[in-house]
Amino acid sequence: MTVMPRPSVLSVEPYVGGESKIPGVNRIIKLSSNEGAFGPPPAAIAAIADSAREAHRYPDGGAGALREAIGARFGLDPARIVCGNGSDELLAMLILAYGGEGTELVMSAHGFMMYDLTGRWAGCRVIKVPEKDLTADVDGLLAAVGPRTRLMFLANPNNPTGSILPQSEMERLRAGLREDVLLVLDSAYAEYVTRPDYDAGAKLVDAGGGNTVMTRTFSKIYGLGGMRLGWCYAPPAIVDVLGRVRGPFNVNAAAMAAGIAALAEPEWVEKSVAHNTAERARVSVALTQAGLKVWPSEGNFVLVDFGDAARAKAADTHLRSRGLIVRAMGGYGLAQTLRVTIGTAEENGLVIEALTAFARGQ
Protein backbone atom coordinates (compact mmCIF):
# COMPACT_ATOMS: atom_id res chain seq x y z
CA MET A 1 0.00 0.00 0.00
CA THR A 2 1.35 3.44 -0.95
CA VAL A 3 1.69 5.93 1.89
CA MET A 4 -0.73 8.77 1.16
CA PRO A 5 -1.01 12.33 2.54
CA ARG A 6 -4.26 13.88 3.63
CA PRO A 7 -6.52 14.32 0.56
CA SER A 8 -6.55 18.11 0.95
CA VAL A 9 -2.79 18.24 0.38
CA LEU A 10 -3.16 16.76 -3.10
CA SER A 11 -5.61 19.52 -4.05
CA VAL A 12 -2.79 22.08 -3.78
CA GLU A 13 -0.81 23.09 -6.84
CA PRO A 14 2.85 24.01 -6.14
CA TYR A 15 3.33 27.77 -5.98
CA VAL A 16 5.28 29.10 -8.97
CA GLY A 17 7.20 32.31 -8.37
CA GLY A 18 7.98 34.98 -10.92
CA GLU A 19 10.36 33.92 -13.68
CA SER A 20 13.89 35.29 -13.83
CA LYS A 21 15.33 33.82 -17.04
CA ILE A 22 14.50 33.79 -20.75
CA PRO A 23 16.39 31.28 -22.92
CA GLY A 24 18.57 32.99 -25.50
CA VAL A 25 18.24 36.47 -24.00
CA ASN A 26 21.32 38.03 -22.44
CA ARG A 27 20.00 41.06 -20.57
CA ILE A 28 17.03 40.21 -18.37
CA ILE A 29 14.92 42.81 -16.59
CA LYS A 30 12.83 41.04 -13.95
CA LEU A 31 9.63 42.88 -13.12
CA SER A 32 7.56 39.86 -12.13
CA SER A 33 7.85 39.60 -8.35
CA ASN A 34 7.27 43.14 -6.99
CA GLU A 35 10.79 43.31 -5.61
CA GLY A 36 12.13 46.66 -4.42
CA ALA A 37 13.36 48.87 -7.26
CA PHE A 38 16.65 49.74 -5.53
CA GLY A 39 17.65 46.35 -4.13
CA PRO A 40 18.70 46.00 -0.46
CA PRO A 41 19.78 49.06 1.56
CA PRO A 42 23.61 49.42 1.77
CA ALA A 43 23.58 48.92 5.54
CA ALA A 44 21.65 45.66 5.12
CA ILE A 45 24.19 44.36 2.61
CA ALA A 46 26.99 45.09 5.08
CA ALA A 47 25.06 43.44 7.91
CA ILE A 48 24.55 40.27 5.86
CA ALA A 49 28.29 40.09 5.13
CA ASP A 50 29.19 40.68 8.77
CA SER A 51 26.82 37.95 9.94
CA ALA A 52 28.82 35.35 8.02
CA ARG A 53 31.49 35.43 10.74
CA GLU A 54 28.96 33.98 13.20
CA ALA A 55 27.29 31.54 10.82
CA HIS A 56 28.17 28.63 13.11
CA ARG A 57 26.04 30.09 15.90
CA TYR A 58 22.33 29.47 16.25
CA PRO A 59 20.27 32.67 15.92
CA ASP A 60 18.20 34.24 18.68
CA GLY A 61 15.09 32.08 18.63
CA GLY A 62 12.91 34.90 19.88
CA ALA A 63 14.29 37.51 17.44
CA GLY A 64 14.47 39.90 20.39
CA ALA A 65 16.67 42.60 18.86
CA LEU A 66 14.69 42.57 15.61
CA ARG A 67 11.37 42.84 17.42
CA GLU A 68 12.72 45.76 19.43
CA ALA A 69 13.82 47.48 16.22
CA ILE A 70 10.45 46.91 14.53
CA GLY A 71 8.62 48.14 17.61
CA ALA A 72 10.71 51.31 17.75
CA ARG A 73 10.28 51.98 14.02
CA PHE A 74 6.49 51.58 13.99
CA GLY A 75 5.56 52.52 17.56
CA LEU A 76 4.43 49.02 18.51
CA ASP A 77 4.89 46.81 21.57
CA PRO A 78 7.71 44.35 20.75
CA ALA A 79 6.05 41.74 22.96
CA ARG A 80 3.18 41.64 20.48
CA ILE A 81 5.39 41.12 17.43
CA VAL A 82 6.26 37.70 16.00
CA CYS A 83 8.87 37.31 13.25
CA GLY A 84 8.83 34.70 10.54
CA ASN A 85 10.61 33.20 7.56
CA GLY A 86 8.80 35.66 5.33
CA SER A 87 5.25 36.73 6.11
CA ASP A 88 4.18 33.58 4.20
CA GLU A 89 5.29 31.47 7.15
CA LEU A 90 3.21 33.54 9.54
CA LEU A 91 0.15 33.30 7.28
CA ALA A 92 0.57 29.53 7.17
CA MET A 93 0.97 29.25 10.95
CA LEU A 94 -2.22 31.26 11.49
CA ILE A 95 -4.16 29.06 9.08
CA LEU A 96 -2.85 25.83 10.60
CA ALA A 97 -3.44 27.04 14.15
CA TYR A 98 -6.95 28.44 13.69
CA GLY A 99 -8.27 26.62 10.62
CA GLY A 100 -8.10 23.02 9.46
CA GLU A 101 -10.55 20.26 8.58
CA GLY A 102 -14.18 21.29 9.00
CA THR A 103 -13.51 25.03 8.96
CA GLU A 104 -13.88 27.72 6.31
CA LEU A 105 -11.50 30.44 5.17
CA VAL A 106 -13.00 33.46 3.38
CA MET A 107 -10.97 35.61 1.00
CA SER A 108 -11.49 38.02 -1.87
CA ALA A 109 -11.68 36.41 -5.33
CA HIS A 110 -8.39 37.85 -6.54
CA GLY A 111 -6.54 37.87 -3.22
CA PHE A 112 -3.01 36.55 -2.75
CA MET A 113 -3.04 32.93 -3.87
CA MET A 114 -1.13 31.65 -0.82
CA TYR A 115 -4.29 32.10 1.28
CA ASP A 116 -6.04 29.62 -0.99
CA LEU A 117 -3.13 27.18 -1.35
CA THR A 118 -2.30 27.08 2.35
CA GLY A 119 -5.95 27.01 3.35
CA ARG A 120 -6.58 23.92 1.23
CA TRP A 121 -3.36 22.32 2.47
CA ALA A 122 -4.65 22.76 6.01
CA GLY A 123 -7.99 21.23 5.07
CA CYS A 124 -10.10 24.39 5.12
CA ARG A 125 -12.89 25.00 2.68
CA VAL A 126 -11.76 28.17 0.91
CA ILE A 127 -14.49 30.58 -0.15
CA LYS A 128 -13.55 33.21 -2.74
CA VAL A 129 -15.85 36.21 -2.79
CA PRO A 130 -16.41 38.11 -6.07
CA GLU A 131 -14.99 41.63 -6.21
CA LYS A 132 -16.35 44.92 -7.50
CA ASP A 133 -14.05 46.59 -10.04
CA LEU A 134 -11.20 44.36 -8.78
CA THR A 135 -11.70 45.70 -5.25
CA ALA A 136 -12.73 43.64 -2.23
CA ASP A 137 -16.48 43.80 -1.55
CA VAL A 138 -17.06 44.18 2.19
CA ASP A 139 -20.74 43.27 1.99
CA GLY A 140 -19.92 40.18 -0.06
CA LEU A 141 -17.20 39.10 2.36
CA LEU A 142 -19.54 39.44 5.33
CA ALA A 143 -22.32 37.58 3.53
CA ALA A 144 -19.96 34.66 2.83
CA VAL A 145 -19.31 34.05 6.53
CA GLY A 146 -21.03 30.91 7.79
CA PRO A 147 -21.13 28.88 11.00
CA ARG A 148 -17.85 27.12 10.14
CA THR A 149 -15.94 30.25 9.13
CA ARG A 150 -12.90 30.76 11.33
CA LEU A 151 -10.57 32.84 9.15
CA MET A 152 -10.79 35.79 6.79
CA PHE A 153 -7.75 37.00 4.84
CA LEU A 154 -7.52 40.37 3.16
CA ALA A 155 -4.51 42.07 1.57
CA ASN A 156 -4.73 45.85 1.74
CA PRO A 157 -3.38 47.02 -0.69
CA ASN A 158 -4.21 43.87 -2.59
CA ASN A 159 -1.82 41.84 -4.69
CA PRO A 160 -2.21 41.51 -7.68
CA THR A 161 -4.92 44.10 -8.32
CA GLY A 162 -3.34 47.02 -6.43
CA SER A 163 -6.73 48.05 -5.03
CA ILE A 164 -7.26 49.32 -1.50
CA LEU A 165 -10.09 49.67 1.00
CA PRO A 166 -10.32 52.86 3.08
CA GLN A 167 -10.09 52.65 6.84
CA SER A 168 -13.83 53.16 7.24
CA GLU A 169 -14.50 50.03 5.19
CA MET A 170 -11.90 48.03 7.10
CA GLU A 171 -13.56 49.04 10.37
CA ARG A 172 -16.97 48.09 8.98
CA LEU A 173 -15.62 44.71 7.95
CA ARG A 174 -14.19 43.97 11.39
CA ALA A 175 -17.34 45.17 13.15
CA GLY A 176 -19.47 42.90 10.98
CA LEU A 177 -17.53 39.73 11.76
CA ARG A 178 -18.25 37.41 14.65
CA GLU A 179 -15.75 37.54 17.47
CA ASP A 180 -14.63 33.97 16.74
CA VAL A 181 -13.56 34.83 13.17
CA LEU A 182 -9.90 35.80 12.92
CA LEU A 183 -9.30 38.68 10.49
CA VAL A 184 -5.79 38.63 9.02
CA LEU A 185 -4.72 41.87 7.33
CA ASP A 186 -1.86 41.28 4.93
CA SER A 187 -0.11 44.66 4.62
CA ALA A 188 2.92 43.64 2.55
CA TYR A 189 2.69 46.84 0.50
CA ALA A 190 1.80 49.22 3.31
CA GLU A 191 4.91 51.38 3.00
CA TYR A 192 4.01 52.37 -0.55
CA VAL A 193 0.61 53.82 0.36
CA THR A 194 0.48 57.62 0.51
CA ARG A 195 -3.24 58.09 1.24
CA PRO A 196 -3.78 59.97 4.52
CA ASP A 197 -6.77 57.82 5.49
CA TYR A 198 -4.78 54.57 5.41
CA ASP A 199 -3.78 52.43 8.37
CA ALA A 200 -1.85 49.21 7.83
CA GLY A 201 -3.83 47.36 10.50
CA ALA A 202 -2.35 48.26 13.87
CA LYS A 203 -5.42 50.30 14.82
CA LEU A 204 -7.73 47.36 14.27
CA VAL A 205 -5.42 45.04 16.20
CA ASP A 206 -5.35 47.52 19.09
CA ALA A 207 -9.12 48.06 19.00
CA GLY A 208 -9.53 44.98 21.15
CA GLY A 209 -11.38 41.72 20.78
CA GLY A 210 -8.25 39.67 20.24
CA ASN A 211 -9.40 38.69 16.75
CA THR A 212 -7.27 40.71 14.29
CA VAL A 213 -3.67 40.24 13.10
CA MET A 214 -1.55 42.46 10.84
CA THR A 215 1.24 40.89 8.80
CA ARG A 216 4.14 42.79 7.21
CA THR A 217 7.25 42.00 5.18
CA PHE A 218 10.80 43.11 4.47
CA SER A 219 10.58 41.68 0.93
CA LYS A 220 9.20 44.75 -0.83
CA ILE A 221 10.30 48.26 0.07
CA TYR A 222 13.26 47.00 2.13
CA GLY A 223 14.54 44.88 -0.77
CA LEU A 224 15.12 41.72 1.27
CA GLY A 225 13.00 39.16 -0.57
CA GLY A 226 15.92 36.76 -0.75
CA MET A 227 16.41 36.83 3.02
CA ARG A 228 12.82 35.72 3.72
CA LEU A 229 11.85 37.98 6.61
CA GLY A 230 8.39 38.96 7.76
CA TRP A 231 6.58 39.89 10.95
CA CYS A 232 3.14 40.23 12.43
CA TYR A 233 1.50 42.35 15.12
CA ALA A 234 -1.13 40.50 17.09
CA PRO A 235 -3.06 40.30 20.37
CA PRO A 236 -1.19 38.61 23.24
CA ALA A 237 -3.21 35.38 23.04
CA ILE A 238 -2.40 34.94 19.36
CA VAL A 239 1.26 35.75 19.98
CA ASP A 240 1.21 32.95 22.55
CA VAL A 241 -0.26 30.50 20.01
CA LEU A 242 2.29 31.43 17.35
CA GLY A 243 5.06 30.96 19.88
CA ARG A 244 3.85 27.41 20.43
CA VAL A 245 3.71 26.40 16.75
CA ARG A 246 6.66 28.19 15.13
CA GLY A 247 10.03 26.51 14.73
CA PRO A 248 12.61 27.27 17.42
CA PHE A 249 14.94 29.09 14.99
CA ASN A 250 12.54 30.05 12.22
CA VAL A 251 14.36 33.29 11.31
CA ASN A 252 18.04 33.05 10.38
CA ALA A 253 20.69 35.33 11.85
CA ALA A 254 21.61 37.03 8.56
CA ALA A 255 17.99 37.94 7.90
CA MET A 256 17.59 39.43 11.36
CA ALA A 257 20.77 41.47 11.03
CA ALA A 258 19.68 42.70 7.60
CA GLY A 259 16.24 43.65 8.88
CA ILE A 260 17.60 45.68 11.78
CA ALA A 261 20.01 47.49 9.46
CA ALA A 262 17.35 48.13 6.83
CA LEU A 263 15.03 49.74 9.37
CA ALA A 264 17.81 52.15 10.32
CA GLU A 265 18.90 53.09 6.77
CA PRO A 266 18.48 56.90 6.55
CA GLU A 267 15.77 58.09 4.13
CA TRP A 268 15.46 54.66 2.51
CA VAL A 269 11.69 54.41 2.80
CA GLU A 270 11.14 58.05 1.88
CA LYS A 271 13.32 57.76 -1.24
CA SER A 272 11.64 54.52 -2.28
CA VAL A 273 8.11 55.86 -1.79
CA ALA A 274 8.83 59.04 -3.74
CA HIS A 275 10.32 57.04 -6.59
CA ASN A 276 7.46 54.54 -6.65
CA THR A 277 4.75 57.19 -6.54
CA ALA A 278 6.25 59.17 -9.42
CA GLU A 279 7.21 56.18 -11.58
CA ARG A 280 3.92 54.34 -11.03
CA ALA A 281 2.10 57.44 -12.25
CA ARG A 282 4.44 57.77 -15.24
CA VAL A 283 3.91 54.16 -16.30
CA SER A 284 0.15 54.35 -15.77
CA VAL A 285 -0.27 57.56 -17.77
CA ALA A 286 1.96 56.43 -20.61
CA LEU A 287 0.27 53.05 -21.03
CA THR A 288 -3.17 54.64 -20.80
CA GLN A 289 -2.19 57.08 -23.53
CA ALA A 290 -1.10 54.09 -25.60
CA GLY A 291 -4.67 52.77 -25.38
CA LEU A 292 -4.21 50.18 -22.63
CA LYS A 293 -6.25 49.92 -19.46
CA VAL A 294 -4.24 50.27 -16.26
CA TRP A 295 -6.03 49.53 -13.00
CA PRO A 296 -5.40 52.00 -10.15
CA SER A 297 -2.73 50.71 -7.78
CA GLU A 298 -1.44 51.55 -4.32
CA GLY A 299 1.44 49.06 -4.49
CA ASN A 300 4.78 48.95 -6.29
CA PHE A 301 3.18 47.44 -9.39
CA VAL A 302 0.42 48.07 -11.90
CA LEU A 303 -2.07 45.66 -13.42
CA VAL A 304 -2.37 46.16 -17.18
CA ASP A 305 -5.60 44.92 -18.77
CA PHE A 306 -5.48 43.80 -22.42
CA GLY A 307 -9.14 42.86 -22.69
CA ASP A 308 -8.70 39.15 -23.36
CA ALA A 309 -6.30 36.34 -22.54
CA ALA A 310 -4.93 35.93 -26.06
CA ARG A 311 -3.91 39.57 -26.32
CA ALA A 312 -2.34 39.49 -22.85
CA LYS A 313 -0.33 36.41 -23.86
CA ALA A 314 0.81 38.15 -27.04
CA ALA A 315 1.87 41.19 -25.02
CA ASP A 316 3.81 38.95 -22.65
CA THR A 317 5.58 37.30 -25.57
CA HIS A 318 6.42 40.73 -27.00
CA LEU A 319 7.90 41.86 -23.67
CA ARG A 320 9.91 38.67 -23.28
CA SER A 321 11.40 39.13 -26.74
CA ARG A 322 12.90 42.33 -25.35
CA GLY A 323 14.15 40.71 -22.16
CA LEU A 324 11.34 42.08 -20.00
CA ILE A 325 9.75 39.58 -17.59
CA VAL A 326 6.42 40.54 -16.03
CA ARG A 327 3.80 38.34 -14.35
CA ALA A 328 0.94 36.67 -16.19
CA MET A 329 -2.16 36.54 -14.00
CA GLY A 330 -3.99 33.48 -15.25
CA GLY A 331 -3.48 31.78 -11.89
CA TYR A 332 -5.49 34.56 -10.28
CA GLY A 333 -8.39 34.29 -12.69
CA LEU A 334 -7.19 37.40 -14.51
CA ALA A 335 -5.78 35.89 -17.69
CA GLN A 336 -6.49 39.11 -19.60
CA THR A 337 -3.96 41.02 -17.48
CA LEU A 338 -0.24 41.30 -16.80
CA ARG A 339 1.19 42.58 -13.52
CA VAL A 340 4.18 44.85 -13.99
CA THR A 341 6.48 45.71 -11.09
CA ILE A 342 7.64 49.32 -10.87
CA GLY A 343 11.41 49.12 -11.36
CA THR A 344 14.07 51.74 -11.92
CA ALA A 345 13.35 54.72 -14.18
CA GLU A 346 15.29 53.04 -17.00
CA GLU A 347 13.44 49.75 -16.60
CA ASN A 348 10.08 51.48 -16.52
CA GLY A 349 10.99 53.40 -19.65
CA LEU A 350 11.71 50.14 -21.47
CA VAL A 351 8.33 48.75 -20.41
CA ILE A 352 6.57 51.89 -21.65
CA GLU A 353 8.41 51.70 -24.97
CA ALA A 354 7.69 48.00 -25.45
CA LEU A 355 4.00 48.06 -24.53
CA THR A 356 3.36 51.26 -26.48
CA ALA A 357 4.84 49.61 -29.55
CA PHE A 358 2.73 46.49 -28.91
CA ALA A 359 -0.46 48.51 -28.48
CA ARG A 360 0.17 50.32 -31.74
CA GLY A 361 0.97 47.13 -33.60
CA GLN A 362 4.60 47.95 -34.15
Side-chain angles (χ1 to χ4, degrees), residues 108-332:
S108 194
H110 305 300
F112 184 40
M113 68 169 58
M114 289 307 300
Y115 314 150
D116 176 36
L117 296 181
T118 310
R120 286 189 282 129
W121 165 39
C124 303
R125 177 183 175 230
V126 177
I127 300 173
K128 295 184 178 182
V129 178
E131 300 177 357
K132 292 183 177 179
D133 293 327
L134 296 192
T135 301
D137 176 13
V138 170
D139 292 320
L141 289 168
L142 292 174
V145 174
R148 294 184 176 182
T149 302
R150 293 295 178 269
L151 293 157
M152 180 177 288
F153 278 73
L154 184 67
N156 201 42
N158 185 54
N159 171 34
T161 62
S163 57
I164 195 169
L165 289 179
Q167 183 66 13
S168 59
E169 283 292 271
M170 297 302 297
E171 292 173 356
R172 186 166 75 87
L173 176 64
R174 178 64 269 178
L177 290 172
R178 298 193 314 266
E179 291 186 358
D180 66 337
V181 176
L182 178 63
L183 176 61
V184 181
L185 303 178
D186 181 352
S187 302
Y189 299 92
E191 285 86 357
Y192 292 107
V193 181
T194 57
R195 293 172 48 146
D197 63 339
Y198 175 74
D199 180 76
K203 288 183 179 179
L204 284 177
V205 176
D206 288 338
N211 47 20
T212 306
V213 175
M214 171 185 71
T215 64
R216 304 285 288 270
T217 185
F218 282 84
S219 295
K220 307 306 177 185
I221 207 164
Y222 291 109
L224 295 174
M227 300 306 295
R228 309 310 303 128
L229 183 61
W231 59 279
C232 74
Y233 179 62
I238 294 177
V239 170
D240 175 70
V241 169
L242 293 176
R244 295 169 185 268
V245 300
R246 70 171 179 82
F249 303 106
N250 63 319
V251 181
N252 70 75
M256 287 191 281
I260 293 169
L263 289 169
E265 185 76 41
E267 304 301 319
W268 182 263
V269 170
E270 293 79 3
K271 179 184 76 168
S272 299
V273 171
H275 169 84
N276 186 72
T277 301
E279 287 294 304
R280 185 179 61 203
R282 179 168 78 102
V283 172
S284 298
V285 169
L287 296 185
T288 300
Q289 290 175 343
L292 299 172
K293 180 172 183 177
V294 181
W295 288 90
S297 174
E298 295 287 343
N300 68 331
F301 57 89
V302 292
L303 190 68
V304 186
D305 198 321
F306 295 87
D308 62 66
R311 191 163 183 242
K313 185 175 181 180
D316 191 29
T317 299
H318 178 78
L319 289 167
R320 291 169 66 89
S321 72
R322 299 189 177 201
L324 295 163
I325 302 179
V326 299
R327 189 69 180 266
M329 289 286 107
Y332 283 88

Side-chain angles (χ1 to χ4, degrees), residues 348-359:
N348 299 332
L350 293 172
V351 168
I352 291 170
E353 178 185 347
L355 286 181
T356 297
F358 172 81

